[in-house]
Amino acid sequence: MTKWAYAAAAFLTTSLFACAVEKKPPVISSGKTVVEAYVRAWNQHDSVALDSILSPDAIHEDIAQNFRGKGSAEVVKFMRGAVAVEPDFKWQVTNSIEEGRYVALEWTWTATHTGPDPANKSVKNKRISGRGASFAEVENGKIKRFTDYFDMASLFR
């Protein structure tokens, strides 16, 4: 074989290896990552992001506010209601744990509230702050169920 034939064979071999595509398994987000994206979407008032984070039949429950919404449209409506009375809210996760498809969160909520308080009195620019916990179920990279637990009255003390 000539020098050019060796060079051509080496070039062809190198090209084939360079073009070879390694098939990797799909990247599946951890439940914790999905839930963090959900909290981030709330903090950014990004109702569009909820469509990609919630499963079509997702349920979000807020026990203290007697809310149970199914599907992103109902959750978006709930989010918009929160933004209307607390436009500067900050939902901050302080601790989280993940076990399989379940994620548990501890968090704080701070905001300036204008609207009815738990006693149904109207307040204006009332600074509120409190702690709570949430439990989420994530399936196929989307939130299937998300439930908040907190004491609404304690936010207004």
Side-chain angles (χ1 to χ4, degrees), residues 94-109:
T94 56
N95 196 9
S96 62
I97 188 168
E98 178 178 11
E99 179 61 40
R101 67 181 195 221
Y102 301 105
V103 179
L105 306 174
E106 290 180 312
W107 46 261
T108 60
W109 182 278

Side-chain angles (χ1 to χ4, degrees), residues 58-73:
I59 295 173
H60 180 128
E61 290 182 292
D62 188 310
I63 303 301
Q65 296 187 65
N66 195 29
F67 170 77
R68 183 180 192 278
K70 186 172 184 178
S72 63

Side-chain angles (χ1 to χ4, degrees), residues 24-96:
K24 295 180 181 177
V27 176
I28 296 176
S29 297
S30 75
K32 188 174 171 182
T33 303
V34 173
V35 171
E36 288 169 348
Y38 187 63
V39 171
R40 192 170 39 258
W42 271 79
N43 280 328
Q44 295 171 351
H45 307 173
D46 187 355
S47 57
V48 174
L50 297 185
D51 281 333
S52 64
I53 298 168
L54 295 169
S55 68
D57 61 345
I59 295 173
H60 180 128
E61 290 182 292
D62 188 310
I63 303 301
Q65 296 187 65
N66 195 29
F67 170 77
R68 183 180 192 278
K70 186 172 184 178
S72 63
E74 290 182 18
V75 177
V76 166
K77 185 177 177 185
F78 180 61
M79 175 195 274
R80 289 186 178 145
V83 171
V85 296
E86 298 173 0
D88 66 342
F89 71 76
K90 175 76 174 152
W91 187 9
Q92 184 172 348
V93 175
T94 56
N95 196 9
S96 62

Side-chain angles (χ1 to χ4, degrees), residues 71-156:
S72 63
E74 290 182 18
V75 177
V76 166
K77 185 177 177 185
F78 180 61
M79 175 195 274
R80 289 186 178 145
V83 171
V85 296
E86 298 173 0
D88 66 342
F89 71 76
K90 175 76 174 152
W91 187 9
Q92 184 172 348
V93 175
T94 56
N95 196 9
S96 62
I97 188 168
E98 178 178 11
E99 179 61 40
R101 67 181 195 221
Y102 301 105
V103 179
L105 306 174
E106 290 180 312
W107 46 261
T108 60
W109 182 278
T110 55
T112 306
H113 183 88
T114 297
D117 68 4
N120 214 19
K121 294 180 187 173
S122 183
V123 296
K124 185 172 174 95
N125 297 325
K126 167 98 172 139
R127 197 69 187 143
I128 64 170
S129 180
R131 295 173 27 185
S134 298
F135 188 78
E137 180 180 1
V138 178
E139 187 174 87
N140 298 322
K142 296 195 180 239
I143 293 176
K144 183 175 180 165
R145 185 175 193 86
F146 194 96
T147 306
D148 295 319
Y149 299 93
F150 65 100
D151 174 19
M152 178 68 89
S154 71
L155 292 174
F156 287 83

